[in-house]
């Protein structure tokens, strides 16, 4: 197997995951170009600046804050697509919508190096369907790369091949993730929500279902599903706020749409009150309001 040398990574999307993945890479000394949509009007790099401001709050090990920030270059899709040409790895981490992701792939494809690996951080959309938005020449270098939140601390990364992915691409990616980022890699099949989210999201839904059935409060459920059972960062409703309620809704929607014969199918939906929060724009930690802090 030829060695996969990653000199520069492009991360597409500076949201909850993209910004943290960029910070994590910079922590490991890997230069990153962090793309995001230009602000609709006014300050074109507003979103990217916000993401970078958030990065400064992360723990600085092993690189100090300023050195890490210097490794991250903000970019937008209008003026900086040429920067993709110099990237060996492109990690897409935009919102969990098939239509938005495929539209972006069509836009970036002419600018990506033919030797780059392109990978999606989707939580569970079909990697095969995403691959189809790429030209045939890039399709065999595309796969899923599913980091968990927060990527700096969560060791697991699922990698997912399509029917087109060259075997060497997964081998190279696994070696790089293990040696450069210290990750524990699991190869998952291209099934809805892969492995960890298929189980994890179901456990969140089960806890939400029983919250209403047993008349419990959020804090009571979190006390029962969090630190006291050895899951300091995984209490149900805190996790929902950290993930983002809209992202959680998309991930649940993937199971609802694509697993019609699952015996638990009728539980694949969020409670009404949580959908109402999303409607109001209270999406969890990223908007400053969610299950815990109401608008
Ligand atoms: P987010 O909502 O925090 O950020 C989404 C980003 O996508 C934003 O920066 C936004 O500007 C960008 N975006 C939105 N529409 C776009 C478009 N049409 N074209 C280009 N960019 C667009 O989302 P997130 O939580 O960072 O999730 C990103 C991806 O990572 C999703 O696929 C999600 O399923 C996956 N993921 C999320 C988590 C989590 O805990 N939040 C964990 C693992 C994987």
């Amino acid at each position: 197997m030829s060695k996969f040398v990653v000199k520069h990574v492009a991360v597409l999307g500076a949201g909850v995951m993209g910004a943290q993945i960029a910070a994590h890479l910079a922590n490991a000394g890997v230069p990153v170009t962090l793309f995001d949509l230009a602000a609709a009007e006014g300050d074109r790099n507003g979103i990217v600046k916000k993401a970078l401001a958030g990065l400064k709050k992360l723990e600085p090990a092993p690189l100090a804050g300023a050195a890490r920030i210097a490794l991250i270059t903000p970019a937008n899709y209008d003026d900086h697509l040429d920067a993709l040409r110099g990237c060996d790895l492109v990690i897409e981490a935009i919102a969990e919508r098939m239509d938005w992701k495929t539209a972006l792939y069509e836009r970036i494809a002419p600018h990506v190096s033919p030797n780059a690996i392109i990978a999606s951080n989707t939580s569970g959309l079909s990697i095969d369907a995403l691959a189809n938005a790429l030209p045939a020449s890039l399709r065999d270098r595309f796969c899923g790369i599913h980091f968990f939140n927060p990527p700096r601390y969560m060791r697991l990364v699922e990698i997912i091949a399509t029917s087109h992915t060259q075997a060497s691409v997964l081998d190279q990616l696994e070696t790089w993730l293990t040696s450069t980022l210290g990750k524990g890699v699991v190869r998952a099949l291209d099934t809805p929500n892969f492995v960890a989210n298929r189980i994890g999201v179901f456990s969140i839904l089960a806890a939400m279902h029983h919250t209403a059935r047993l008349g419990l409060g959020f804090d009571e459920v979190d006390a029962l599903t969090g630190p006291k059972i050895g899951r300091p960062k995984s209490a149900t409703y805190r996790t929902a706020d950290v993930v983002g309620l809209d992202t959680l809704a998309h991930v649940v929607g993937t199971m609802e749409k694509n697993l019609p014969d699952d015996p638990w199918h009728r539980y694949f939906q969020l409670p009404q009150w949580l959908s109402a929060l999303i409607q109001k724009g209270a999406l969890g930690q990223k908007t400053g309001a969610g299950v815990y802090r109401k608008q």
Side-chain angles (χ1 to χ4, degrees):
M1 179 180 64
S2 59
K3 188 159 165 29
F4 177 52
V5 181
V6 180
K7 294 203 194 99
H8 203 115
V9 177
V11 175
L12 313 181
V16 171
M17 288 304 283
Q20 291 190 83
I21 292 168
H24 186 37
L25 292 171
N27 253 349
V30 180
V32 184
T33 300
L34 178 59
F35 283 84
D36 207 356
L37 296 174
E41 70 270 340
D43 179 7
R44 292 172 60 77
N45 268 331
I47 295 169
V48 174
K49 278 189 195 148
K50 196 169 142 213
L52 291 177
L55 296 181
K56 288 183 191 153
K57 295 184 199 130
L58 294 178
E59 270 180 43
L63 279 184
R68 181 183 52 220
I69 298 295
L71 283 172
I72 302 174
T73 311
N76 65 54
Y77 302 108
D78 293 329
D79 306 321
H80 305 113
L81 276 181
D82 279 352
L84 286 174
R85 192 90 51 202
C87 296
D88 327 283
L89 175 62
V90 179
I91 299 175
E92 172 272 307
I94 71 159
E96 185 77 341
R97 288 265 307 250
M98 179 68 75
D99 52 347
W100 293 352
K101 287 184 191 285
T102 54
L104 184 63
Y105 293 3
E106 284 165 21
R107 193 165 177 202
I108 62 161
H111 305 274
V112 174
S113 157
N115 302 318
I117 291 178
I118 312 168
S120 175
N121 185 51
T122 176
S123 298
L125 294 173
S126 162
I127 303 295
D128 215 53
L130 288 171
N132 287 332
L134 288 167
S137 58
L138 294 175
R139 224 169 275 158
D140 62 356
R141 299 191 60 73
F142 176 76
C143 63
I145 185 168
H146 185 207
F147 288 89
F148 289 77
N149 188 4
R152 163 109 169 73
Y153 298 104
M154 298 294 273
R155 203 166 159 255
L156 175 61
V157 178
E158 292 173 321
I159 55 175
I160 306 105
T162 72
S163 49
H164 307 281
T165 314
Q166 288 171 24
S168 62
V169 164
L170 284 207
D171 292 343
Q172 289 171 330
L173 207 51
E174 179 165 351
T175 304
W176 180 76
L177 283 165
T178 311
S179 59
T180 307
L181 299 184
K183 295 301 184 194
V185 173
V186 168
R187 295 189 184 207
L189 293 180
D190 189 13
T191 54
N193 291 344
F194 319 128
V195 182
N197 267 345
R198 184 83 156 265
I199 299 164
V201 171
F202 182 72
S203 89
I204 289 177
L205 290 173
M208 287 180 172
H209 175 76
H210 289 296
T211 307
R213 209 175 69 83
L214 302 174
L216 300 172
F218 308 134
D219 45 352
E220 286 175 295
V221 174
D222 276 4
L224 292 167
T225 57
K228 287 202 171 66
I229 58 165
R231 301 162 79 223
K233 301 269 186 223
S234 300
T236 303
Y237 291 102
R238 290 231 172 269
T239 300
D241 271 349
V242 167
V243 164
L245 303 185
D246 54 338
T247 302
L248 181 63
H250 288 309
V251 176
V252 171
T254 297
M255 299 205 320
E256 198 275 328
K257 184 170 159 215
N258 298 306
L259 298 168
D261 299 326
D262 192 287
W264 301 98
H265 184 263
R266 73 190 174 96
Y267 295 106
F268 295 165
Q269 52 185 299
L270 290 177
Q272 274 298 326
W273 62 265
L274 205 139
S275 303
L277 283 178
I278 297 172
Q279 289 285 331
K280 281 200 307 187
L283 305 179
Q285 224 170 56
K286 65 184 164 188
T287 56
V291 175
Y292 274 99
R293 275 181 54 200
K294 304 285 184 297
Q295 277 180 327

